[in-house]
Amino acid sequence: MTLDPETLSLLLDATRRLVDEKLIPAEAEADANGELPSDVVRAMREMGLFGLTVPESYGGLGLNRSEEVRFLFEFCRASPSFRSLLGTTVGVGGKSILLDGTEEQKAYWLPRIARGETIVSFCLTEPDSGSDAKALKTRARRDGDEWVIDGTKRFISNAPLAGLFVVMARTGERVTAFLVPAETPGIEVAKPWRKMGQRAAHVADVAFEDCRVPADAVLGGEAGIGRGFNAAMKALDDGRLHIAAVAVGLGRRLIEEMLEYARTRRQFGEPIASFQLIQAMLADSEAELAAARALVETTAAKRDAGEPVTRDAASAKYFATEAVWRIADRAVQLHGGYGYMSDTPVERLFRDARLLRLFEGTSQIMQLVIAREMLREA
Amino acid sequence: MKVLVPVKRVIDYNVKIRVKPDGSGVETQNVKMSMNPFDEISIEEAVRMKEKGVAEEVIAVSMGPQQCQETLRTALAMGADRGIHVKTDDVLEPLAVAKMLKAIAEKEQPQMIIVGKQAIDDDCNQTGQMTAALLGWSQATFASVIELGEGTAKVTREIDGGLETVDIKLPAVVTSDLRLNEPRYASLPNIMKAKKKPIEEMDPASLGVDTTPRVKTLKVSEPPKRQGGVKVESVQELVSKLVNEAKVI
């Protein structure tokens, strides 16, 4: 479904206002405490952000990809810690239910997700399988009407808050996706990892031991057995586009911070913005961000048109996250010594930005995906 | 009861206003426009009345060009039930707006019209008072609290030097001040739902109002640039400058 320009512009205005008035002022405290303030989480829920990509018929907003990335450009001007709370729900976790769930699974979970009641965590990565996701060891075996899941998942975003885990487990040779409610016996969520950045977002390991779920917990029902990896890969294209859009939003914020500082900081009797080497940093950042944004928008439009976007989504994720890293580095450089101090927003945003080149596929994996698709099509 | 709330489309409060080079007005091309903040407060108050069950319907009215519909959509997303758009590209002065509000009020029969105390573009602070006068209704301006009774309202007004509480009979015109409430954010689902709420279109002529301006703008100019200050060495020097140069004491 496509929104009329008026409604989209109201949505984006409302988002921008939430970001400027509630999220950005709460960033420093959230980073220092390693926790999102509860009133901010409530405001995000009341704004209906958890239902962004859930179809209207299931109580969400039903944004298409082009609209979702426009939203992220605005929303991710605030620290990516805020985005992370929505990320796995709106992104790869919720998407996999939307793309591959049975009608019953969609009808049960999607309205809960849209209301912000259920946070979804996507469990693919394991201690011994990161980039080599297919090597996962978590197993599920059939026992009568039940499946029994055993294994450990690593770096699971939002695990401490999750109401639902989408778990990738080996069923024989192939991989199956399971919908496992957090209250199921046999699940243990470890203490959250301490991290370089995005400190208000929680990532933890999750252990499944003799964890029993009914037969209808298989994503996509009987037909979904052995098809979990396809489900994960489909959700990953959207996930990569999502992260690329996050990078664009963060890049915009970094440029805003650079501009503000360059215009107000005075050295040698004038604002540093009047020095050409400072201008070069601004110009390089703006040009790279414009390119990243264009790539994300083009890929989103292709995806909405139903074209395959594996190569483009990987290109967008690769280019946008590498670009935002260069922009973050320039932002620190432009702030001089102040840029290294924790009271300056760019110090925190620099740490936050680093993750983008790692998750949802590292830059190196993106390079491989892009080249593989190129060679396949040649 | 019905509550009528006029909402004006103005230059967003975050935008730095620039005067047109020919001095005929301020630049509005490619400038972000939003609902007048005092009107947001009025909508919020009306929606709260509805949520408390003391108002049945909230009607938002906007007068001006096609883009006013976006401002009406914002009001609908905040919780107003329907919109009325008086479409015109004419320059509207407070008296013309008040006359049109009167015509709409006579048709809709609201028990209360909540008007922003002023718009942040022209700062006129006239529309509410004029509307009350034309309708012959009671008025309470600069409200910071509105308590509804049986056919009456108790309104706390922010006046110079303190607060004044007045009892007024309904129907009435109340103008909202900054501290009346803190307006809500329109949630994204409500923005989507607002698409389906009706907006009725009309024009000044159908309301029988002649909008010809009675005031002619001769020139708009930027305020003079602020001059740099001076540092004084002592309190004595400061006092002497205040007495002899600034002549303020």
Side-chain angles (χ1 to χ4, degrees):
Chain A
M1 183 207 75
T2 308
L3 290 178
D4 57 292
E6 201 175 75
T7 305
L8 182 61
S9 111
L10 286 179
L11 280 176
L12 297 176
D13 273 357
T15 307
R16 192 172 184 86
R17 191 165 160 188
L18 177 80
V19 166
D20 285 332
E21 293 177 10
K22 284 236 155 69
L23 270 46
I24 290 179
E27 267 178 4
E29 193 195 330
D31 185 69
N33 298 344
E35 197 92 52
L36 295 179
S38 56
D39 62 319
V40 173
V41 175
R42 194 176 334 116
M44 284 166 63
R45 193 170 284 142
E46 282 167 6
M47 276 289 278
L49 299 187
F50 290 89
L52 283 178
T53 55
V54 173
E56 275 189 288
S57 52
Y58 296 106
L61 300 178
L63 298 193
N64 65 24
R65 297 296 78 72
S66 299
E67 291 153 359
E68 181 191 349
V69 300
R70 293 280 302 277
F71 163 82
L72 288 166
F73 294 164
E74 291 296 342
F75 188 71
C76 294
R77 287 173 52 253
S79 164
S81 282
F82 295 106
R83 194 284 320 177
S84 182
L85 183 65
L86 310 173
T88 50
T89 306
V90 169
V92 73
K95 274 286 163 64
S96 57
I97 298 176
L98 184 58
L99 292 174
D100 288 292
T102 62
E103 198 39 56
E104 291 75 31
Q105 287 166 342
K106 289 185 202 177
Y108 185 80
W109 289 110
L110 293 178
R112 288 172 167 74
I113 287 172
R115 287 193 296 268
E117 284 169 26
T118 301
I119 304 271
V120 187
S121 279
F122 189 72
C123 305
L124 176 62
T125 298
E126 297 184 0
D128 295 327
S129 62
S131 294
D132 184 11
K134 278 186 177 148
L136 64 90
K137 287 180 184 154
T138 296
R139 308 200 75 88
R141 64 182 164 83
R142 228 181 182 147
D143 183 17
D145 280 348
E146 293 180 322
W147 288 90
V148 187
I149 305 173
D150 283 286
T152 302
K153 294 291 178 179
R154 175 138 292 173
F155 301 152
I156 303 307
S157 296
N158 295 318
L161 305 166
L164 175 69
F165 295 100
V166 179
V167 184
M168 296 293 153
R170 196 163 286 291
T171 46
E173 272 305 294
R174 301 179 66 91
V175 172
T176 301
F178 293 90
L179 301 178
V180 185
E183 66 274 12
T184 311
I187 302 177
E188 192 164 341
V189 178
K191 211 172 87 178
W193 287 82
R194 295 184 300 131
K195 309 190 295 308
M196 175 192 288
Q198 304 199 17
R199 288 185 177 162
H202 293 165
V203 169
D205 290 359
V206 183
F208 297 88
E209 199 182 344
D210 196 28
C211 176
R212 288 171 179 271
V213 290
D216 64 7
V218 172
L219 180 66
E222 278 297 311
I225 296 172
R227 297 193 48 81
F229 218 73
N230 303 28
M233 290 302 116
K234 252 194 283 180
L236 274 181
D237 276 348
D238 280 352
R240 285 168 183 164
L241 186 58
H242 178 100
I243 298 301
V246 172
V248 172
L250 181 57
R252 176 52 57 203
R253 168 71 183 289
L254 285 160
I255 290 176
E256 286 168 10
E257 296 284 344
M258 287 163 93
L259 269 175
E260 172 68 19
Y261 192 77
R263 286 167 58 240
T264 50
R265 170 71 174 171
R266 295 178 75 86
Q267 287 292 279
F268 306 102
E270 43 193 321
I272 61 170
S274 60
F275 303 127
Q276 290 184 335
L277 290 177
I278 296 290
Q279 291 176 10
M281 287 198 258
L282 291 171
D284 285 353
S285 302
E286 179 64 28
E288 286 190 281
L289 191 74
R293 182 183 168 122
L295 182 52
V296 170
E297 285 180 341
T298 313
T299 307
K302 268 190 169 180
R303 174 77 175 78
D304 287 333
E307 294 175 40
V309 292
T310 300
R311 190 190 61 197
D312 293 345
S315 298
K317 201 267 174 186
Y318 177 47
F319 183 80
T321 60
E322 291 290 334
V324 79
W325 176 242
R326 292 188 293 271
I327 295 169
D329 187 54
R330 284 184 207 116
V332 171
Q333 194 68 18
L334 185 142
H335 279 71
Y338 290 100
Y340 196 68
M341 300 302 151
S342 297
D343 288 333
T344 315
V346 294
E347 181 271 346
R348 188 179 64 246
L349 298 171
F350 175 85
R351 288 187 282 107
D352 288 347
R354 187 63 185 84
L355 178 62
L356 303 184
R357 296 166 60 212
L358 298 170
F359 68 174
E360 219 83 7
T362 61
S363 290
Q364 289 65 39
I365 291 293
M366 292 307 108
Q367 289 173 299
L368 297 182
V369 171
I370 297 163
R372 185 192 68 203
E373 294 294 310
M374 288 168 72
L375 292 166
R376 207 164 54 92
E377 289 162 25
Chain B
M1 68 175 204
K2 276 188 200 175
V3 182
L4 189 69
V5 183
V7 294
K8 186 175 184 182
R9 184 169 175 269
V10 298
I11 296 180
D12 187 83
Y13 69 97
N14 283 311
V15 170
K16 192 165 172 246
I17 308 283
R18 287 179 214 281
V19 173
K20 282 186 189 161
D22 65 1
S24 64
V26 298
E27 198 57 71
T28 52
Q29 290 285 319
N30 295 322
V31 169
K32 183 171 159 51
M33 308 290 279
S34 299
M35 189 192 297
N36 175 40
F38 290 105
D39 299 344
E40 275 191 350
I41 293 172
S42 306
I43 288 282
E44 176 67 35
E45 194 65 18
V47 171
R48 287 187 191 183
M49 286 175 181
K50 193 181 166 197
E51 286 168 347
K52 276 190 216 143
V54 289
E56 280 92 49
E57 192 180 30
V58 178
I59 308 161
V61 186
S62 194
M63 300 170 187
Q66 178 63 29
Q67 296 91 322
C68 285
Q69 297 225 352
E70 193 168 324
T71 311
L72 282 172
R73 290 279 171 216
T74 306
L76 298 175
M78 287 175 73
D81 297 289
R82 61 186 167 98
I84 295 174
H85 178 205
V86 183
K87 197 167 159 184
T88 171
D89 289 325
D90 298 344
V91 173
L92 295 177
E93 288 175 357
L95 183 58
V97 173
K99 285 178 179 171
M100 291 192 277
L101 279 178
K102 172 178 186 271
I104 293 170
E106 282 167 351
K107 182 166 160 258
E108 295 286 350
Q109 300 286 321
Q111 287 295 293
M112 186 176 279
I113 307 179
I114 310 180
V115 187
K117 74 164 179 178
Q118 66 196 69
I120 61 167
D121 50 1
D122 55 22
D123 282 336
C124 279
N125 184 0
Q126 295 168 352
T127 304
Q129 294 87 333
M130 286 177 172
T131 307
L134 290 172
L135 283 164
W137 289 5
S138 5
Q139 62 169 299
T141 50
F142 319 137
S144 63
V145 181
I146 305 174
E147 292 167 81
L148 289 171
E150 280 299 316
T152 61
K154 193 158 106 181
V155 178
T156 306
R157 307 179 57 229
E158 299 204 347
I159 57 169
D160 289 346
L163 298 173
E164 179 186 67
T165 306
V166 293
D167 273 317
I168 52 171
K169 269 200 203 122
L170 301 183
V173 176
V174 179
T175 76
S176 53
D177 212 325
L178 195 62
R179 279 159 287 270
L180 181 57
N181 59 51
E182 200 184 317
R184 72 193 61 195
Y185 295 94
S187 76
L188 306 192
N190 285 342
I191 291 173
M192 305 280 282
K193 281 181 204 139
K195 277 190 302 182
K196 295 179 189 109
K197 293 183 179 176
I199 294 180
E200 183 186 351
E201 258 187 54
M202 48 185 79
D203 57 26
S206 69
L207 294 169
V209 176
D210 174 12
T211 60
T212 312
R214 289 151 188 254
V215 178
K216 194 174 161 204
T217 301
L218 300 178
K219 185 167 164 252
V220 176
S221 57
E222 302 247 2
K225 282 243 170 355
R226 190 170 171 270
Q227 303 288 318
V230 285
K231 273 188 182 164
V232 292
E233 295 290 332
S234 64
V235 173
Q236 247 166 353
E237 193 189 337
L238 172 67
V239 172
S240 128
K241 276 183 186 297
L242 289 176
V243 173
N244 300 319
E245 287 178 30
K247 297 188 177 13
V248 289
I249 50 175

